[in-house]
Amino acid sequence: MDYNNLAELLFPHITRDPEDYEKIYPERKLPPGAKVTRLGPSPTGFIHLGNLYGAFVDERLAHQSDGVFYLRIEDTDDKRQVEGAVEAIISSLEFFGVTFDEGAALEGDKGDYGPYYQSQRAEIYQTYVKQLVQRGQAYPCFCTEEELTAIREEQERLKENPGYYGKWARHRNLTLEEIQNRMEQKMPFVIRLRSQGTHDCPEEDVRMISVEDGIRGTLTMPENDQDVVLLKANGIPTYHFAHVVDDHLMRTTHVVRGAEWLPSLPIHVELFRTLGWPLPVYCHTAQLMKMEDGNKRKLSKRKDPELSLDYYRSEGYHPKAVREYLLTILNSNYEEWRLENPDSPQEAFDFTVEKMSNSGTLFDLDKLNDISKDVLVKIPADELSEFLINWAKTYRPELIDLFAEQKEYLIKILDLGRQGDKPRKDFIFARQMFEFISYFYDDYFKTEDVYPENVSDEDAKTILSSYLESYDHRDDQVQWFDKIREIASANGYAAKPKDYKKNPELYKGHVGDVSTVIRIALMGRAMSPDIWEIQQILGEETTRDRIQKRLAAQK
RNA sequence: GGCCCCAUGGUCAAGCGGUCAAGACACCGCCCUUUCACGGCGGUAACCCGGGUUCGAUUCCCGGUGGGGUCACCA
């Protein structure tokens, strides 16, 4: 059969040569060792932690090597388009500190290797498919969905491998006339690869391929034998073909993707070879897992909405904290490095694919929270206040006035107990932060705890009225506490906890119980930072007011 | 089911032929302390099983088992 005729029949509108594109997209001029990476999300608008995890790898590899990190939108599936998804992806990633040098962007594509939307690259793909047809390496297939299903069922019945290959590839050798006939009848068709892989042979004769994975080392697997679809009936390529053409033409050096792509690697290898192009370095990352019913499983977009990036945004996790956490699970030596370099920026860490884990990592919220505490404690209070206000803008608008109108007040609150060698690490994420400091705001002040058991209501009253009587807002911390001790002694509570521990029978309790009573009156809870410091922020009026109200409520 | 990947405490993980098998989170105890946190000290807890190779296997090989992934005109 004359493949040139076939190619013309199939693609009369394609006039360019592959060589033209090689010229349009020349090799990049970059310093030696520079890596070119990319993120290729499909625009469903849903990004989860796993995507961010992978994006970090891309970002680090590129930027650590003075390379290029670009964004390519893989919108080859028209059923998966979601309005505004690209904007959501970009802004979401930007929030977490992932920025692109090139590719799809809010203000339009940037860079010389575009277009960066696969849906706009149809001609490019078709040019290469046309070439493959000319060489007899691809062919049209008119099989309907029903026929394909029938083939699969037959294969299942015979316990043979499913798929379109070898003897099952029934349109592999149609004659030109047969093809012409079907085209005249307007039968829809796809273009398939004519795979050169071995099949229908004894197991030991199957040829193997081996690929050096950046993370996993040498991978060995049977070569591809499937006549995979290259171009769908609508003329748009499948992922496999788009990946190979784009990553070649965009001069990607490192393809970072999840391990779920491992099984299709042979397809990509065959495509690269057939097209005569060098393989990029594949880096197959471990999947982020989730524990369910005692078993790990891959994070799923549909089932795990709480792992969407939006979840962390709405809870108010700081982007730095999320990055820090991801970095610790991404590179096993990161935590150690962080211990030794507590104040270095994250970018100073030398990220390597070799140190990446290749088994599935369970997402650990406890760990994220712990890391978040360490990260937040290093952020100055004024910056933290900005963060909190920004968070409130989107997620708690009713709080904005509260925060923004008294910003100095907020900063003081956030700075409470955070100086010195052993700063408090109370803050984890914005929602929790507000919960923690809510008693500073009258509208959100509420009494949650009750007095200690060993303090009678009578004593509590006495303690509070004595406190109110002796209260002097100008007292320093020592003076203030001496007064508390006096109140304790006067009412039968040990002034020093140690005395109480030695002779518990001599006292009703100790000074800690007394201050707890005051805490509950002032803060509504038994746990809080230093009372004196809080009072200084609250101001004399509010302090007296709360004690008085508590006293009144008890009558 | 075929193919592929993975396998060290509850979790994340160092290890890369000889170690009392690091460390972090979580948990427990003690100390510090006016509460809580922070901090300090200490503790419980692991090499999936079976064969090899070797003087010696957590480490190398093979086979099981277990877990995960994937088998689309989705990515």
Side-chain angles (χ1 to χ4, degrees), chain A residues 306-370:
Chain A
E306 82 276 18
L307 288 158
S308 85
L309 253 29
D310 282 341
Y311 171 78
Y312 297 94
R313 273 234 250 184
S314 66
E315 287 290 275
Y317 278 91
H318 194 103
K320 258 192 200 166
V322 174
R323 285 180 66 104
E324 188 80 6
Y325 171 67
L326 253 17
L327 246 14
T328 67
I329 60 175
L330 229 29
N331 250 196
S332 56
N333 51 336
Y334 183 82
E335 244 182 314
E336 195 183 332
W337 173 85
R338 176 51 83 199
L339 247 29
E340 285 163 15
N341 306 277
D343 298 312
S344 300
Q346 291 166 332
E347 295 70 41
F349 173 73
D350 185 27
F351 185 89
T352 52
V353 282
E354 291 80 14
K355 283 288 181 185
M356 287 189 66
S357 165
N358 49 13
S359 58
T361 293
L362 201 60
F363 177 75
D364 187 350
L365 196 62
D366 279 332
K367 187 90 177 183
L368 203 212
N369 286 160
D370 180 71

Coordinates of all heavy atoms in Angstrom, one line a residue, chain A residues 306-370:
Chain A
E306 N -11.3 16.6 51.2 CA -10.6 17.3 52.3 C -9.1 17.4 52.0 O -8.4 18.1 52.7 CB -10.9 16.6 53.6 CG -10.0 15.4 53.9 CD -10.5 14.1 53.3 OE1 -11.3 14.2 52.3 OE2 -10.1 13.0 53.7
L307 N -8.6 16.7 51.0 CA -7.2 16.9 50.6 C -7.0 17.8 49.5 O -5.9 18.0 49.0 CB -6.6 15.5 50.3 CG -6.5 14.7 51.6 CD1 -6.5 13.2 51.4 CD2 -5.3 15.1 52.4
S308 N -8.1 18.5 49.1 CA -7.9 19.5 48.0 C -7.1 20.7 48.7 O -7.2 20.9 49.9 CB -9.2 20.0 47.5 OG -9.8 21.0 48.3
L309 N -6.4 21.4 47.8 CA -5.7 22.5 48.3 C -6.6 23.6 49.0 O -6.2 24.2 49.9 CB -4.9 23.2 47.1 CG -3.4 23.0 47.1 CD1 -3.0 21.7 47.7 CD2 -2.9 23.0 45.7
D310 N -7.8 23.6 48.5 CA -8.8 24.6 49.1 C -9.0 24.3 50.5 O -9.3 25.2 51.3 CB -10.1 24.5 48.3 CG -10.0 25.3 47.0 OD1 -9.1 26.1 46.9 OD2 -10.8 25.0 46.1
Y311 N -9.0 23.0 50.9 CA -9.2 22.7 52.3 C -8.1 23.4 53.2 O -8.4 24.0 54.2 CB -9.1 21.2 52.5 CG -9.1 20.7 53.9 CD1 -10.3 20.7 54.6 CD2 -7.9 20.4 54.5 CE1 -10.3 20.3 55.9 CE2 -7.9 20.0 55.9 CZ -9.1 20.0 56.6 OH -9.1 19.6 57.9
Y312 N -6.9 23.3 52.7 CA -5.8 23.9 53.5 C -5.9 25.4 53.5 O -5.5 26.1 54.5 CB -4.5 23.4 53.1 CG -4.4 21.9 53.3 CD1 -4.7 21.0 52.2 CD2 -4.1 21.4 54.5 CE1 -4.8 19.7 52.4 CE2 -4.1 20.0 54.7 CZ -4.5 19.2 53.7 OH -4.5 17.9 53.9
R313 N -6.4 25.9 52.4 CA -6.5 27.4 52.3 C -7.6 27.8 53.3 O -7.5 28.8 54.0 CB -6.9 27.8 50.9 CG -5.7 28.0 50.1 CD -5.8 29.3 49.4 NE -6.0 29.2 48.0 CZ -6.0 30.3 47.2 NH1 -5.8 31.5 47.7 NH2 -6.2 30.2 45.9
S314 N -8.7 27.1 53.3 CA -9.9 27.5 54.1 C -9.6 27.3 55.6 O -10.0 28.1 56.4 CB -11.2 26.8 53.7 OG -11.1 25.4 53.9
E315 N -8.9 26.3 55.9 CA -8.5 26.1 57.3 C -7.5 27.2 57.7 O -7.3 27.5 58.9 CB -7.9 24.8 57.5 CG -8.8 23.6 57.5 CD -9.8 23.6 58.7 OE1 -9.4 23.1 59.8 OE2 -10.9 24.1 58.6
G316 N -6.8 27.7 56.7 CA -5.8 28.8 57.0 C -4.5 28.3 57.3 O -3.7 28.9 58.1
Y317 N -4.1 27.2 56.6 CA -2.7 26.8 56.8 C -1.8 27.8 56.1 O -2.1 28.2 55.0 CB -2.5 25.4 56.3 CG -2.9 24.3 57.2 CD1 -4.2 23.8 57.2 CD2 -2.0 23.8 58.2 CE1 -4.6 22.8 58.1 CE2 -2.4 22.8 59.1 CZ -3.7 22.3 59.1 OH -4.0 21.4 60.0
H318 N -0.7 28.1 56.6 CA 0.2 29.0 56.0 C 0.9 28.3 54.8 O 1.4 27.2 55.0 CB 1.2 29.6 57.0 CG 2.0 30.8 56.5 ND1 1.7 32.0 56.9 CD2 3.0 30.9 55.6 CE1 2.5 32.9 56.2 NE2 3.3 32.2 55.5
P319 N 1.0 28.9 53.7 CA 1.7 28.3 52.6 C 3.1 27.8 52.9 O 3.5 26.7 52.5 CB 1.8 29.3 51.5 CG 1.3 30.6 52.1 CD 0.5 30.2 53.3
K320 N 3.8 28.5 53.7 CA 5.2 28.1 54.1 C 5.1 26.8 54.9 O 6.0 26.0 54.7 CB 5.8 29.2 55.0 CG 6.8 30.0 54.3 CD 7.6 30.8 55.4 CE 8.2 32.1 54.8 NZ 8.7 33.0 55.8
A321 N 4.1 26.6 55.7 CA 4.0 25.4 56.5 C 3.7 24.2 55.6 O 4.3 23.2 55.8 CB 2.9 25.6 57.5
V322 N 2.8 24.4 54.6 CA 2.5 23.3 53.7 C 3.7 22.9 52.9 O 4.1 21.8 52.7 CB 1.3 23.7 52.8 CG1 1.1 22.6 51.8 CG2 0.1 24.0 53.7
R323 N 4.5 24.0 52.5 CA 5.7 23.7 51.7 C 6.7 22.9 52.6 O 7.3 22.0 52.1 CB 6.4 25.0 51.3 CG 5.7 25.7 50.1 CD 6.4 27.0 49.8 NE 7.8 26.7 49.3 CZ 8.1 26.8 48.0 NH1 7.2 27.2 47.1 NH2 9.3 26.6 47.6
E324 N 6.8 23.4 53.8 CA 7.8 22.8 54.7 C 7.4 21.3 54.9 O 8.3 20.4 54.9 CB 7.8 23.5 56.0 CG 8.8 23.1 57.0 CD 10.2 23.7 56.7 OE1 10.3 24.6 55.8 OE2 11.2 23.3 57.4
Y325 N 6.2 21.1 55.1 CA 5.7 19.7 55.3 C 6.0 18.8 54.1 O 6.6 17.7 54.1 CB 4.2 19.6 55.6 CG 3.7 18.2 55.7 CD1 4.1 17.3 56.6 CD2 2.8 17.7 54.7 CE1 3.7 16.0 56.6 CE2 2.4 16.4 54.7 CZ 2.8 15.6 55.7 OH 2.4 14.3 55.7
L326 N 5.6 19.4 52.9 CA 5.8 18.6 51.7 C 7.3 18.3 51.4 O 7.7 17.2 51.0 CB 5.2 19.4 50.5 CG 3.9 18.9 49.9 CD1 3.1 17.9 50.7 CD2 3.0 20.1 49.4
L327 N 8.1 19.3 51.7 CA 9.5 19.1 51.6 C 10.1 18.0 52.5 O 10.9 17.2 52.1 CB 10.3 20.4 51.9 CG 11.0 21.2 50.8 CD1 10.7 20.8 49.4 CD2 10.8 22.7 51.0
T328 N 9.5 17.9 53.7 CA 10.0 16.9 54.6 C 9.6 15.5 54.1 O 10.4 14.6 54.2 CB 9.5 17.0 56.0 OG1 8.1 16.8 56.1 CG2 9.9 18.4 56.6
I329 N 8.5 15.4 53.5 CA 8.1 14.0 53.0 C 8.7 13.8 51.6 O 8.8 12.7 51.1 CB 6.6 13.7 53.0 CG1 5.8 14.7 52.1 CG2 6.1 13.7 54.4 CD1 4.4 14.3 52.1
L330 N 9.1 14.9 50.9 CA 9.7 14.7 49.6 C 11.1 14.3 49.6 O 11.5 13.5 48.8 CB 9.6 16.1 48.9 CG 9.0 16.2 47.5 CD1 8.0 15.2 47.2 CD2 8.4 17.6 47.3
N331 N 11.9 14.8 50.5 CA 13.3 14.5 50.6 C 13.6 14.1 52.0 O 13.5 14.8 53.0 CB 14.1 15.7 50.2 CG 14.8 15.6 48.9 OD1 15.8 16.3 48.5 ND2 14.4 14.6 48.1
S332 N 14.1 12.9 52.1 CA 14.3 12.3 53.5 C 15.3 13.0 54.3 O 15.3 12.9 55.5 CB 14.7 10.8 53.3 OG 15.8 10.7 52.5
N333 N 16.2 13.7 53.7 CA 17.2 14.4 54.5 C 16.8 15.9 54.8 O 17.6 16.6 55.4 CB 18.6 14.4 53.8 CG 18.5 14.8 52.4 OD1 17.4 14.8 51.7 ND2 19.6 15.3 51.9
Y334 N 15.6 16.3 54.4 CA 15.2 17.7 54.6 C 15.1 18.0 56.1 O 15.5 19.0 56.5 CB 13.9 18.0 53.9 CG 13.5 19.4 54.0 CD1 14.1 20.4 53.2 CD2 12.6 19.8 55.0 CE1 13.7 21.7 53.3 CE2 12.3 21.2 55.2 CZ 12.8 22.1 54.3 OH 12.5 23.4 54.5
E335 N 14.5 17.1 56.8 CA 14.2 17.4 58.2 C 15.5 17.6 59.0 O 15.6 18.5 59.8 CB 13.4 16.2 58.8 CG 12.1 16.6 59.3 CD 11.3 15.5 60.0 OE1 11.3 14.4 59.4 OE2 10.7 15.8 61.0
E336 N 16.4 16.7 58.7 CA 17.8 16.8 59.3 C 18.4 18.2 59.0 O 19.0 18.8 59.8 CB 18.6 15.7 58.8 CG 19.8 15.3 59.5 CD 20.6 14.2 58.8 OE1 20.0 13.4 58.1 OE2 21.8 14.2 58.9
W337 N 18.3 18.5 57.7 CA 18.9 19.8 57.2 C 18.2 20.9 58.0 O 18.9 21.9 58.4 CB 18.7 19.9 55.7 CG 19.1 21.2 55.2 CD1 20.3 21.6 54.8 CD2 18.2 22.4 55.0 NE1 20.3 22.9 54.4 CE2 19.0 23.4 54.5 CE3 16.8 22.6 55.2 CZ2 18.5 24.7 54.2 CZ3 16.3 23.9 54.9 CH2 17.1 24.9 54.4
R338 N 16.9 20.9 58.1 CA 16.2 21.9 58.8 C 16.6 22.1 60.3 O 16.8 23.2 60.8 CB 14.7 21.6 58.7 CG 13.8 22.6 59.4 CD 14.1 24.1 59.1 NE 13.5 24.5 57.9 CZ 13.9 25.6 57.2 NH1 15.0 26.3 57.6 NH2 13.3 26.0 56.1
L339 N 16.9 21.0 60.9 CA 17.4 21.0 62.3 C 18.7 21.7 62.4 O 19.0 22.5 63.3 CB 17.5 19.6 62.8 CG 16.6 19.1 63.9 CD1 15.2 19.7 63.9 CD2 16.4 17.6 63.8
E340 N 19.5 21.5 61.4 CA 20.8 22.1 61.4 C 20.8 23.6 60.9 O 21.7 24.4 61.2 CB 21.8 21.3 60.5 CG 22.3 20.1 61.2 CD 22.9 19.1 60.2 OE1 23.2 19.5 59.0 OE2 23.0 17.9 60.5
N341 N 19.8 23.9 60.1 CA 19.7 25.2 59.5 C 18.3 25.8 59.8 O 17.5 26.0 58.8 CB 19.9 25.2 58.0 CG 21.2 24.5 57.6 OD1 22.3 25.2 57.7 ND2 21.2 23.2 57.3
P342 N 18.0 26.0 61.0 CA 16.6 26.4 61.4 C 16.2 27.7 60.7 O 15.0 27.9 60.5 CB 16.7 26.6 62.9 CG 18.1 26.7 63.3 CD 18.9 26.0 62.2
D343 N 17.1 28.6 60.3 CA 16.6 29.9 59.8 C 16.9 30.0 58.3 O 16.6 31.1 57.8 CB 17.3 31.0 60.6 CG 16.9 31.0 62.1 OD1 15.7 30.8 62.3 OD2 17.8 31.0 62.9
S344 N 17.4 29.0 57.7 CA 17.7 29.2 56.3 C 16.4 29.1 55.5 O 15.4 28.4 55.9 CB 18.6 28.0 55.8 OG 19.8 28.1 56.4
P345 N 16.3 29.8 54.4 CA 15.1 29.7 53.5 C 15.0 28.3 52.9 O 16.1 27.7 52.7 CB 15.4 30.8 52.4 CG 16.8 31.0 52.4 CD 17.3 30.8 53.8
Q346 N 13.8 27.9 52.6 CA 13.6 26.6 52.0 C 14.4 26.4 50.7 O 14.9 25.3 50.4 CB 12.1 26.4 51.7 CG 11.3 26.3 53.0 CD 9.8 26.4 52.8 OE1 9.4 27.1 51.8 NE2 9.0 25.8 53.6
E347 N 14.6 27.5 50.0 CA 15.3 27.4 48.7 C 16.8 27.0 48.9 O 17.4 26.5 47.9 CB 15.2 28.7 47.9 CG 13.8 29.1 47.5 CD 13.0 29.5 48.7 OE1 13.5 30.2 49.6 OE2 11.8 29.1 48.8
A348 N 17.3 27.2 50.1 CA 18.7 26.9 50.3 C 19.0 25.4 50.4 O 20.1 25.0 50.3 CB 19.2 27.6 51.6
F349 N 18.0 24.6 50.6 CA 18.1 23.2 50.7 C 18.4 22.6 49.3 O 17.8 23.0 48.3 CB 16.9 22.6 51.2 CG 16.9 21.1 51.2 CD1 17.7 20.4 52.1 CD2 16.1 20.4 50.3 CE1 17.7 19.0 52.1 CE2 16.1 19.0 50.3 CZ 16.9 18.3 51.2
D350 N 19.4 21.7 49.3 CA 19.8 21.1 48.0 C 18.9 19.9 47.8 O 19.1 18.8 48.3 CB 21.2 20.7 48.1 CG 21.7 20.1 46.7 OD1 21.1 20.5 45.7 OD2 22.6 19.3 46.7
F351 N 17.9 20.1 46.9 CA 16.9 19.1 46.7 C 17.4 18.1 45.6 O 18.0 18.5 44.6 CB 15.6 19.7 46.1 CG 14.5 18.8 45.9 CD1 13.6 18.5 47.0 CD2 14.3 18.2 44.7 CE1 12.6 17.6 46.8 CE2 13.3 17.3 44.5 CZ 12.4 17.0 45.5
T352 N 17.3 16.8 45.9 CA 17.7 15.8 44.9 C 16.7 14.7 44.7 O 16.0 14.3 45.7 CB 19.0 15.1 45.4 OG1 18.8 14.6 46.7 CG2 20.2 16.0 45.4
V353 N 16.6 14.3 43.5 CA 15.6 13.2 43.2 C 16.1 11.9 43.9 O 15.2 11.1 44.3 CB 15.4 12.9 41.7 CG1 14.5 14.0 41.1 CG2 16.7 12.9 41.0
E354 N 17.3 11.7 44.1 CA 17.8 10.5 44.7 C 17.3 10.3 46.1 O 17.2 9.2 46.6 CB 19.4 10.5 44.7 CG 20.0 10.4 43.3 CD 20.1 11.7 42.6 OE1 19.9 12.7 43.3 OE2 20.3 11.7 41.4
K355 N 17.1 11.4 46.8 CA 16.6 11.3 48.2 C 15.1 11.2 48.3 O 14.5 11.3 49.3 CB 17.1 12.5 48.9 CG 18.6 12.4 49.3 CD 18.8 11.4 50.4 CE 20.3 11.3 50.8 NZ 20.5 10.1 51.8
M356 N 14.5 11.0 47.1 CA 13.0 10.9 47.2 C 12.6 9.4 47.5 O 13.2 8.5 47.0 CB 12.4 11.3 45.9 CG 12.5 12.8 45.7 SD 11.5 13.3 44.2 CE 9.9 12.9 44.8
S357 N 11.6 9.3 48.3 CA 11.1 8.0 48.7 C 10.3 7.4 47.5 O 9.7 8.1 46.7 CB 10.2 8.1 49.9 OG 9.4 7.0 50.0
N358 N 10.4 6.1 47.3 CA 9.6 5.6 46.2 C 8.5 4.6 46.7 O 7.9 3.9 45.9 CB 10.5 4.8 45.2 CG 11.5 3.9 45.9 OD1 11.3 3.6 47.1 ND2 12.5 3.4 45.2
S359 N 8.3 4.6 48.0 CA 7.1 3.9 48.4 C 6.0 5.0 48.8 O 6.3 6.1 49.1 CB 7.4 3.0 49.6 OG 8.0 3.7 50.6
G360 N 4.8 4.5 48.8 CA 3.7 5.5 49.1 C 3.8 6.1 50.4 O 4.0 5.4 51.4
T361 N 3.6 7.4 50.5 CA 3.7 8.1 51.7 C 2.3 8.4 52.2 O 1.5 9.0 51.5 CB 4.5 9.4 51.5 OG1 5.8 9.1 51.2 CG2 4.4 10.3 52.7
L362 N 2.1 8.1 53.5 CA 0.8 8.4 54.1 C 0.8 9.9 54.5 O 1.7 10.4 55.2 CB 0.6 7.5 55.3 CG -0.8 7.3 55.8 CD1 -1.6 6.7 54.7 CD2 -0.7 6.4 57.0
F363 N -0.3 10.5 54.2 CA -0.4 11.9 54.6 C -0.7 12.0 56.1 O -1.5 11.3 56.6 CB -1.5 12.6 53.8 CG -1.7 14.0 54.3 CD1 -0.9 15.0 53.9 CD2 -2.8 14.3 55.1 CE1 -1.0 16.3 54.3 CE2 -2.9 15.6 55.6 CZ -2.1 16.6 55.2
D364 N 0.1 12.8 56.8 CA 0.1 12.8 58.3 C -0.2 14.2 58.8 O 0.6 15.0 58.9 CB 1.5 12.3 58.8 CG 1.5 12.1 60.3 OD1 0.5 12.5 61.0 OD2 2.5 11.6 60.8
L365 N -1.5 14.3 59.2 CA -1.9 15.6 59.6 C -1.2 16.1 60.9 O -0.9 17.3 61.1 CB -3.4 15.6 59.8 CG -4.1 17.0 60.0 CD1 -3.9 17.8 58.7 CD2 -5.6 16.9 60.3
D366 N -0.9 15.2 61.8 CA -0.2 15.5 63.0 C 1.1 16.1 62.7 O 1.5 17.1 63.4 CB 0.0 14.2 63.9 CG -1.2 13.8 64.7 OD1 -2.0 14.7 65.0 OD2 -1.4 12.6 64.9
K367 N 1.7 15.6 61.8 CA 3.1 16.0 61.4 C 3.0 17.4 60.8 O 3.8 18.3 61.1 CB 3.7 15.1 60.4 CG 5.1 15.3 60.1 CD 6.1 14.6 61.0 CE 7.5 14.9 60.6 NZ 8.4 14.2 61.4
L368 N 2.0 17.6 59.9 CA 1.8 18.9 59.3 C 1.6 19.9 60.4 O 2.1 21.0 60.4 CB 0.6 18.9 58.4 CG 0.4 19.8 57.3 CD1 -1.1 20.2 57.0 CD2 1.1 21.1 57.4
N369 N 0.7 19.6 61.3 CA 0.4 20.5 62.4 C 1.7 20.9 63.2 O 1.9 22.0 63.6 CB -0.6 19.9 63.4 CG -2.0 20.0 62.7 OD1 -2.9 19.2 63.1 ND2 -2.2 20.8 61.7
D370 N 2.5 19.9 63.5 CA 3.7 20.1 64.3 C 4.6 21.0 63.5 O 5.2 22.0 64.1 CB 4.3 18.8 64.6 CG 5.6 19.0 65.4 OD1 5.5 19.3 66.5 OD2 6.7 18.8 64.8

